């Protein structure tokens, strides 16, 4: 154990606790002890304090107790030479530092000093925290931002939307980078290497006023939720948000309760892949903050000379690793940066799969959210001025030459800069385990696969696909054939168990384009018919999904043709394909068994599987009722459906809607009631497309029970909801449903329903 680190961490902790006490005193004098304090858009209060101490801080006066606790954790400053600090003192100092840092950040929100401003800064994708964003929009749309605010804390909506990826391993975890890299070039290389591995990147801190955030901004690297790069703030203190994120992960996904400090730390140590990368000189405060991270089992890797803490104990591997940048072997700084990132990953000890895709631009899921703006665009396919479609079909094996990519027709070199052209992507696959039903499952992946290329943007699907290639990507040599190369590599990588051979035709020739568009459209409508005829009655087997049991151990989704998984990511066909790919995986077929009640949706086989998977906490599950034995939820639901007794109906709140609801709670607060694998009659987490199913709470009266619904759902699902209204025999039904722009309380809701004559008011009592 290095006494050097301990003594510097202890000194840093003293400094910061003093500072927090001083700021609290001043802020109390100015605003009074009852002034409200909160991080925006989270139901977890000040998360580290809440998780570790079980104190739900809502008023600044409560921070006194928190800081008293922090002070108790401080150890005397080492003064005499015989004094030998041990790891426990470093860890205590780290904890004290975290409490003090979180308190200071919270007080800064009260004082209007958080989130921090950085003139000229632009956020890719949304942040809820910037004051300019307001609460009305979800702020997650591409291209939003530019208001100069750094992110500050991550909101619950974003945490949960990353949830599935964190759980199924697509996103291994996060890197908290603090400080400033040796050069801008090195800064960019480091984040690109992390993005390539789908590792979330949190940025904070500076060295002599200069931060990696400045460096990336100068190099035009897009930062924001969409690119997995979250700039917290320019000072070391803002690194606290990384540990707030880690704490909330344990509370959200680990089913742990505030105050279970030990369990939360162990959860992170065992399950959360994260590390701290300290760039540049390390001061006392950074040592203290690093000590805080070690409490969570996250190792600290520094690119400067510091004493190492190598024995494994609290972290699974080394606690502190020193890797002075200039001593890293490599032919240049870029290679050194790459080795540094590799070392970070080895230290935390996780195998990370990178799909090597032969394209001349960086490639990885982190680029999926990248936006190509019109002014940066070389060429587009689809959208307003042209038509792009994509169609995947299975063909007999002898008709596929694996790896063949053909561009049929002219490439885009003839098109003027910023212009458009027609495009068709025809993917032909063959495989012994391939089934016609898997065509749409695979075809939907085209969106994610193409989007993974940096500088290429993909929106939509089928014949409303829309692809943009940036000037940057085109300059690096990105050509149409690369679309095919990506698809070939990724389909083999992810679906190798069902496809043996993949060939791709990129069609720009006008006559062929028109011809294939017709073929594709015939296939789409055939699939639509197939989906329409695929009812719960027409199959004998549903599927279970237990992917979320790693954090919600008693939850199982039962996925039927007419009810998709509550995260929205897995429908019945997806589960069927996933079972083919991995027969011992999380999706298992379950025979319905004998029908007990076809209206409420009880079957003997489903009850048995619900009992088994919930370790007995659930006895029965009704597929079609919210009032009686509703399906349980983990934490990933797209929407929450909740009974509004006064209205004789239900409301539907979207994860993307931060506003108040007539139930008197926001989505974040409701999420705590809906999740955790428990059955709560009257509350249910669902996938948003379940709303359009004829089986949506059909035992309780169906879609006509919906009296209030987040406007984002009305907007994004306008077509589908219109069809539902028709089906229900009430074409104006959607207009009769209130939303947050109309009312956020029961009185307002009742007035609206009366005025519009909503059918729920005259239906049978819901309970
Ligand atoms: Fe989790 Fe259910 Fe989605 Fe499976 S279907 S990933 S269990 S939420
Ligand atoms: Zn889940």
């Amino acid at each position: 154990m290095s006494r050097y680190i301990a003594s510097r961490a202890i000194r840093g902790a003293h400094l910061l606790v003093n500072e927090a006490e001083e700021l609290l005193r001043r802020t109390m004098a100015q605003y009074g002890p009852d002034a409200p304090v909160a991080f925006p858009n989270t139901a977890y209060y000040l998360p580290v304090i809440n998780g570790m101490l079980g104190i739900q801080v809502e008023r600044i006066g409560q921070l006194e107790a928190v800081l008293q606790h922090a002070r108790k954790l401080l150890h005397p400053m080492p003064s005499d030479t015989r004094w030998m600090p041990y790891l426990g003192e470093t860890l205590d100092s780290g904890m004290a530092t975290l409490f003090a840092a979180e308190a200071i950040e919270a007080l800064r929100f009260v004082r209007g000093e958080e989130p921090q401003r950085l003139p000229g800064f632009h956020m890719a994708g949304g942040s809820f925290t910037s004051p300019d964003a307001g609460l009305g929009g979800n702020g997650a749309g591409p291209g939003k931002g530019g208001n100069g605010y750094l992110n500050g804390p991550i909101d619950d909506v974003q945490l949960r939307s990353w949830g599935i990826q964190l759980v199924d391993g697509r996103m291994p975890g996060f890197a908290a980078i603090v400080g400033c890299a040796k050069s801008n070039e090195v800064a960019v290389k480091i984040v690109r290497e992390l993005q390539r591995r789908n590792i979330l990147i949190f940025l904070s801190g500076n060295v002599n006023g200069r931060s990696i955030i400045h460096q990336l901004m100068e190099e035009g690297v897009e930062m924001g939720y969409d690119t997995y790069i979250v700039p917290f703030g320019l000072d070391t203190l803002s690194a606290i948000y990384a540990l707030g994120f880690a704490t909330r992960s344990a509370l959200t996904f680990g089913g742990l309760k505030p105050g279970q400090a030990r369990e939360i730390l162990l959860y992170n140590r065992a399950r959360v892949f994260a590390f701290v990368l300290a760039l540049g000189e390390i001061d006392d405060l950074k040592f203290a903050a690093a000590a805080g991270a070690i409490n969570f089992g996250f190792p600290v890797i520094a690119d400067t000379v510091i004493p190492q803490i190598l024995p494994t104990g609290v972290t699974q591997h080394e606690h502190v690793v020193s890797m002075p940048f200039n001593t890293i072997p490599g032919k240049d700084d870029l290679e050194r940066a790459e080795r540094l990132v590799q070392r970070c990953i080895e230290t935390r000890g996780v195998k990370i799969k990178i799909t090597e895709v032969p394209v001349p631009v960086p490639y990885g899921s982190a680029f999926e959210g990248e936006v190509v703006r019109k002014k940066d665009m070389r060429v587009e396919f689809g959208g307003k001025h042209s038509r792009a479609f994509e169609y995947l079909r299975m063909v007999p094996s002898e008709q596929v030459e694996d790896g063949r990519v053909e561009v049929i027709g002219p490439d885009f070199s003839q098109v003027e800069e910023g212009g458009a052209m027609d495009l068709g992507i025809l993917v032909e696959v063959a495989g012994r385990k391939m089934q016609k039903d898997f065509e749409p499952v695979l075809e939907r992946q085209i969106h994610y696969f193409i989007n993974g290329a940096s500088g290429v943007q993909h929106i939509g699907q089928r014949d409303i696909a829309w692809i943009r290639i940036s000037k940057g990507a085109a300059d690096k040599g990105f050509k149409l054939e690369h679309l095919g190369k990506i698809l070939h590599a990724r389909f083999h990588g992810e679906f190798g168990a069902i496809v043996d051979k993949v060939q791709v035709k990129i069609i720009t020739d006008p006559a062929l384009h028109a011809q294939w568009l017709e073929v594709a459209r015939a296939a789409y409508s055939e699939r639509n018919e197939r989906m329409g005829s695929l009812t719960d009655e027409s199959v004998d087997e549903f599927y279970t999904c237990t992917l979320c049991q790693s954090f919600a151990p008693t939850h199982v989704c039962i996925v039927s043709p007419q009810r998709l998984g509550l995260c929205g990511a897995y429908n019945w066909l997806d589960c069927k394909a996933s079972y083919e790919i991995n027969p011992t995986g999380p999706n298992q077929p379950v025979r319905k068994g004998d029908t007990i009640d076809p209206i409420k949706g009880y079957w003997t086989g489903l009850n048995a599987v619900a009992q088994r998977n919930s370790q007995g906490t659930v006895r029965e599950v009704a597929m079609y009722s919210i009032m009686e034995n509703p399906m349980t939820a983990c934490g990933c639901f797209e929407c929450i459906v909740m009974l509004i007794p006064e209205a004789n109906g239900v409301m539907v709140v979207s994860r993307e809607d931060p506003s108040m609801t007539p139930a008197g709670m926001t989505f974040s607060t409701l999420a705590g009631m809906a999740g955790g694998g428990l059955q709560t009659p009257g509350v249910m987490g669902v996938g948003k497309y379940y709303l359009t199913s004829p089986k949506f709470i059909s035992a309780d009266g169906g879609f006509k029970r919906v009296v209030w619904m987040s406007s984002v759902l009305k907007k994004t699902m306008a077509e589908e909801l219109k069809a539902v209204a028709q089906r229900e025999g009430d074409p104006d039904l959607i207009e009769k449903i209130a939303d947050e722009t109309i009312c956020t309380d029961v009185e307002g809701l009742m007035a609206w329903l009366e005025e519009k004559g909503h059918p729920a008011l005259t239906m049978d009592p819901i309970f």
Side-chain angles (χ1 to χ4, degrees):
M1 168 63 223
S2 159
R3 56 185 295 188
Y4 173 79
I5 290 182
S7 62
R8 295 201 58 185
I10 291 170
R11 204 154 57 204
H14 271 276
L15 268 168
L16 201 67
V17 172
N18 288 345
E19 194 183 319
E21 287 170 346
E22 165 61 17
L23 186 67
L24 177 60
R25 200 184 48 70
R26 271 194 291 136
T27 311
M28 287 232 278
Q30 204 175 336
Y31 297 84
D34 290 331
V37 58
F39 287 156
N41 301 303
T42 173
Y44 296 102
Y45 305 91
L46 307 182
V48 175
I49 291 169
N50 184 26
M52 294 297 117
L53 302 175
I55 301 177
Q56 281 91 50
V57 176
E58 291 176 279
R59 288 167 296 102
I60 57 180
Q62 290 171 280
L63 288 171
E64 280 188 310
V66 172
L67 293 181
Q68 274 161 19
H69 195 99
R71 182 155 284 286
K72 269 192 245 144
L73 289 171
L74 295 179
H75 290 262
M77 302 274 277
S79 51
D80 85 67
T81 48
R82 286 160 307 164
W83 186 82
M84 285 298 283
Y86 65 101
L87 188 59
E89 293 178 342
T90 309
L91 294 178
D92 285 351
S93 306
M95 237 346 135
T97 304
L98 301 185
F99 297 150
E102 193 161 65
I104 292 174
E105 290 295 273
L107 290 169
R108 286 180 177 173
F109 267 104
V110 175
R111 306 171 66 86
E113 298 160 6
E114 262 294 310
Q116 294 166 19
R117 262 188 90 93
L118 176 58
F121 178 75
H122 170 91
M123 276 284 275
S127 154
F128 281 84
T129 48
S130 24
D132 297 358
L135 285 180
N138 70 23
K144 198 162 186 331
N147 54 21
Y149 285 100
L150 296 176
N151 193 81
I154 289 168
D155 47 69
D156 285 351
V157 174
Q158 191 58 47
L159 169 70
R160 284 170 184 271
S161 86
W162 278 329
I164 282 281
Q165 295 190 57
L166 286 164
V167 166
D168 71 14
R170 264 178 295 161
M171 186 188 271
F174 68 82
I177 306 184
V178 185
C180 182
K182 186 187 170 202
S183 65
N184 287 14
E185 213 188 6
V186 168
V188 174
K189 180 69 177 170
I190 288 172
V191 301
R192 291 297 184 227
E193 286 297 311
L194 292 166
Q195 281 183 306
R196 226 155 70 85
R197 297 167 169 90
N198 305 330
I199 296 172
L200 265 171
I201 303 161
F202 299 151
L203 306 174
S204 53
N206 69 77
V207 175
N208 299 324
R210 213 169 139 66
S211 167
I212 184 166
I213 297 172
H214 294 119
Q215 296 181 307
L216 296 180
M217 193 170 107
E218 285 160 16
E219 297 306 308
V221 173
E222 269 197 87
M223 287 175 264
Y225 288 150
D226 291 349
T227 56
Y228 293 21
I229 308 176
V230 187
F232 287 147
L234 299 174
D235 57 9
T236 305
L237 282 189
S238 58
I240 186 66
Y241 299 133
L243 298 166
F245 180 85
T247 305
R248 284 186 291 155
S249 296
L251 297 173
T252 310
F253 306 130
L256 296 174
K257 298 274 169 290
Q260 290 185 299
R262 195 182 134 76
E263 288 80 5
I264 291 169
L265 296 176
L266 288 176
Y267 175 91
N268 272 282
R269 174 180 145 187
R271 296 177 190 248
V272 178
F273 170 87
F275 57 86
V276 178
L277 176 55
L279 300 176
E281 197 198 316
I282 303 189
D283 56 20
D284 289 348
L285 180 54
K286 281 184 193 154
F287 273 111
I294 296 172
N295 273 288
F296 282 75
F298 303 155
V300 179
I301 295 90
D303 72 347
T304 50
V305 184
I306 54 165
Q308 313 201 93
I309 309 183
L310 297 179
T312 67
V314 176
T315 50
Q316 286 183 328
H317 298 265
E318 296 96 328
H319 304 303
V320 177
V321 173
S322 170
M323 212 173 162
F325 196 78
N326 292 328
T327 67
I328 302 173
K331 67 174 183 325
D332 57 16
D333 278 356
L334 292 186
E335 207 174 307
R336 282 186 268 274
E338 198 178 324
R339 295 245 163 92
L340 180 63
V341 169
Q342 263 162 17
R343 182 66 209 269
C344 291
I345 290 161
E346 285 160 20
T347 303
R348 189 61 181 94
V350 160
K351 285 254 174 309
I352 294 173
K353 189 176 113 198
I354 319 179
T355 321
E356 291 295 346
V357 177
V359 288
V361 294
Y363 188 91
S365 307
F367 301 106
E368 276 171 21
E370 236 183 23
V371 175
V372 177
R373 289 185 185 74
K374 197 153 181 74
K375 68 172 177 30
D376 302 323
M377 180 178 94
R378 171 63 189 87
V379 60
E380 70 180 339
F381 312 91
K384 224 186 267 159
H385 307 293
S386 57
R387 166 76 60 189
F389 72 88
E390 52 208 24
Y391 172 37
L392 180 143
R393 62 172 191 171
M394 64 181 285
V395 289
S397 186
E398 60 277 9
Q399 292 174 25
V400 188
E401 185 189 319
D402 186 42
R404 176 152 186 213
V405 177
E406 255 180 296
V407 179
I408 310 173
D411 65 12
F412 58 79
S413 59
Q414 322 295 331
V415 180
E416 80 278 18
E417 196 166 284
M421 89 189 278
D422 287 344
L423 181 79
I425 299 177
L426 174 63
V427 184
E428 292 175 312
V429 302
R432 274 157 297 139
K433 289 177 110 186
M434 182 65 195
Q435 301 179 19
K436 197 150 182 57
D437 266 352
F438 299 161
E439 286 180 354
V441 173
L442 299 188
E443 191 179 283
R444 245 183 25 219
Q445 305 299 317
I446 295 176
H447 167 73
Y448 301 101
F449 292 170
I450 290 186
N451 246 338
S454 176
V456 182
Q457 175 185 326
H458 183 287
I459 296 175
Q461 45 155 334
R462 291 188 169 182
D463 60 351
I464 51 165
W466 182 10
I467 299 173
R468 281 182 167 183
I469 296 175
S470 72
K471 287 180 208 160
D475 288 347
K476 288 190 184 117
F478 194 93
K479 298 199 165 50
L480 285 179
E481 59 166 5
H482 292 117
L483 297 175
K485 296 220 157 124
I486 291 171
L487 295 174
H488 173 255
R490 296 292 314 266
F491 276 119
H492 271 293
E494 316 279 313
F495 294 93
I498 44 182
V499 302
D500 300 330
K501 298 202 269 180
V502 183
Q503 74 185 10
V504 183
K505 296 184 175 117
I506 310 280
I507 303 164
T508 58
D509 174 83
L512 266 179
H513 184 272
Q515 202 177 317
W516 276 102
L517 180 57
E518 240 171 81
V519 178
R521 281 181 173 157
Y524 304 147
S525 50
E526 197 182 301
R527 279 182 204 163
N528 287 348
E529 270 163 43
R530 163 85 178 128
M531 281 315 285
S533 70
L534 203 54
T535 60
D536 287 4
E537 289 78 23
S538 70
V539 301
D540 293 328
E541 286 176 345
F542 293 172
Y543 284 87
T544 55
C545 186
T546 50
L547 201 56
C548 288
Q549 288 207 340
S550 58
F551 57 81
T554 62
H555 169 71
V556 52
C557 273
I558 296 174
V559 180
S560 73
Q562 291 177 294
R563 182 167 186 175
L564 80 172
L566 52 86
C567 58
Y570 297 90
N571 66 28
W572 187 81
L573 281 178
D574 296 319
C575 291
K576 195 170 179 223
S578 143
Y579 174 65
E580 283 299 328
I581 294 168
N582 182 3
T584 57
N587 301 114
Q588 295 293 322
V590 38
R591 296 199 73 81
K592 285 192 288 186
D594 296 332
T595 307
I596 301 169
D597 182 339
I599 304 296
K600 289 178 177 159
Y602 285 112
W603 282 274
T604 51
L606 302 191
N607 283 344
V609 88
Q611 284 167 24
R612 193 164 356 104
N613 279 290
S614 69
Q615 283 104 52
T617 55
V618 173
R619 314 288 317 157
E620 295 173 292
V621 58
M623 287 294 287
Y624 311 134
S625 176
I626 186 177
M627 299 306 297
E628 194 181 298
N629 295 313
M631 199 182 290
T632 61
C634 44
C636 317
F637 31 77
E638 291 183 294
C639 304
I640 297 172
V641 185
M642 187 173 184
L643 175 72
I644 304 286
E646 296 88 342
N648 199 31
V650 299
M651 66 165 195
V652 185
V653 203
S654 160
R655 176 181 294 282
E656 291 163 65
D657 177 4
S659 63
M660 186 43 73
T661 71
M665 287 174 273
T666 60
F667 180 93
S668 308
T669 316
L670 283 166
M673 300 173 60
L678 298 173
Q679 273 182 333
T680 319
V683 189
M684 198 162 69
V686 300
K688 64 183 179 187
Y689 281 102
Y690 177 47
L691 302 173
T692 66
S693 164
K695 291 293 194 319
F696 171 68
I697 57 170
S698 49
D700 309 314
F703 189 83
K704 278 187 178 154
R705 288 287 184 189
V706 178
V707 292
W708 188 99
M709 147 186 263
S710 298
S711 64
V712 58
L713 295 170
K714 286 186 179 176
K715 235 178 274 159
T716 54
M717 302 189 7
E719 284 303 309
E720 292 92 337
L721 292 175
K722 209 161 113 193
V724 172
Q726 298 279 1
R727 187 191 70 209
E728 298 288 313
D730 189 346
D732 303 324
L733 184 55
I734 309 303
E735 288 89 80
K736 297 175 186 169
I737 300 173
D739 60 46
E740 79 282 3
T741 66
I742 294 162
C743 59
T744 52
D745 59 10
V746 172
E747 292 71 45
L749 175 62
M750 294 312 292
W752 174 267
L753 299 177
E754 302 276 356
E755 185 196 320
K756 297 286 168 183
H758 192 290
L761 298 182
T762 54
M763 287 168 79
D764 289 343
I766 190 165
F767 68 105

